[in-house]
Amino acid sequence: GESVGLHLPTLSVQEGDNSIINCAYSNSASDYFIWYKQESGKGPQFIIDIRSNMDKRQGQRVTVLLNKTVKHLSLQIAATQPGDSAVYFCAENRGNQFYFGTGTSLTVIP
Amino acid sequence: DAGVIQSPRHEVTEMGQEVTLRCKPISGHDYLFWYRQTMMRGLELLIYFNNNVPIDDSGMPEDRFSAKMPNASFSTLKIQPSEPRDSAVYFCASSLGPGQGVGGYTFGSGTRLTVV
């Protein structure tokens, strides 16, 4: 039979533009969230985290927004660069584990 | 810190052979996780250890898979016998805490396994 793989959402942006990557999480009990970046051939790398008692957290060129009402998380990347091209995962913490989303593939067009 | 170290980076083996993947976590990290990543299923947690003791192995697909952590600085994931459907990238990750540790997990570079 035909195999069906994950349909990774994709986002293409021009270099220098801002990027917004979205993630819906599943459990209202989740209290800690992380965005990971995975470049080709590498393991996921921590970008930024946020706890459930916060709505927004800023890092260097990245901002994470948390909307607990609709269980939505977003990652904003300012002035996107070619080196930002990767797959981005959100992860939610419940109990003793992180649960990962399927990821979004970001391509930066020079 | 050298980070989480996995070996080998690539492994190609024939169906039926035994495969052993290795991981050295970050020193001082009490938790170690084994993940499998495929296009079909994304990132799947296979098993995790706390202080060298397996805590949750419910993600291990079947009895052909086994994992050990004989000491705080070394873990193995073994597949015996291997099958083509085991082909995937296997990641090891470690952390200071189960999930609340700052920065979550630190992942290794992964082992790309191909079973032919």
Side-chain angles (χ1 to χ4, degrees), chain A residues 8 13 17-18 20 30 41-42 49 58 60 64 70 86 89 96 100 104:
Chain A
L8 263 188
V13 298
D17 288 351
N18 297 334
I20 299 176
S30 298
K42 298 183 179 180
D49 59 358
Q58 286 185 294
Q60 187 176 23
V64 55
V70 295
F89 294 93
N96 290 332
F100 289 83
T104 296

Side-chain angles (χ1 to χ4, degrees), chain A residues 28-49:
Chain A
S28 57
S30 298
D31 56 4
Y32 180 54
F33 305 86
I34 293 180
W35 278 101
Y36 285 91
K37 173 186 180 183
Q38 186 176 21
E39 296 175 274
S40 180
K42 298 183 179 180
Q45 290 181 292
F46 169 89
I47 301 174
I48 191 168
D49 59 358

Side-chain angles (χ1 to χ4, degrees), chain A residues 42-89:
Chain A
K42 298 183 179 180
Q45 290 181 292
F46 169 89
I47 301 174
I48 191 168
D49 59 358
I50 189 168
R51 298 194 182 275
S52 59
N53 61 353
M54 303 171 69
D55 297 322
K56 179 179 180 180
R57 188 152 191 242
Q58 286 185 294
Q60 187 176 23
R61 282 201 309 118
V62 293
T63 301
V64 55
L65 298 177
L66 175 62
N67 185 330
K68 294 181 287 294
T69 302
V70 295
K71 292 186 285 189
H72 183 267
L73 202 64
S74 68
L75 176 71
Q76 300 177 359
I77 305 174
T80 312
Q81 303 169 359
D84 295 327
S85 293
V87 176
Y88 290 81
F89 294 93

Side-chain angles (χ1 to χ4, degrees), chain B residues 6-7 10 21 29-30 43 55 62 67 73 75 81 89 92 102 104:
Chain B
Q6 291 187 246
S7 64
H10 303 276
L21 312 181
H29 280 192
D30 295 334
L43 267 171
I55 303 301
E62 47 195 277
S73 60
S75 176
V89 181
C92 176
V102 173

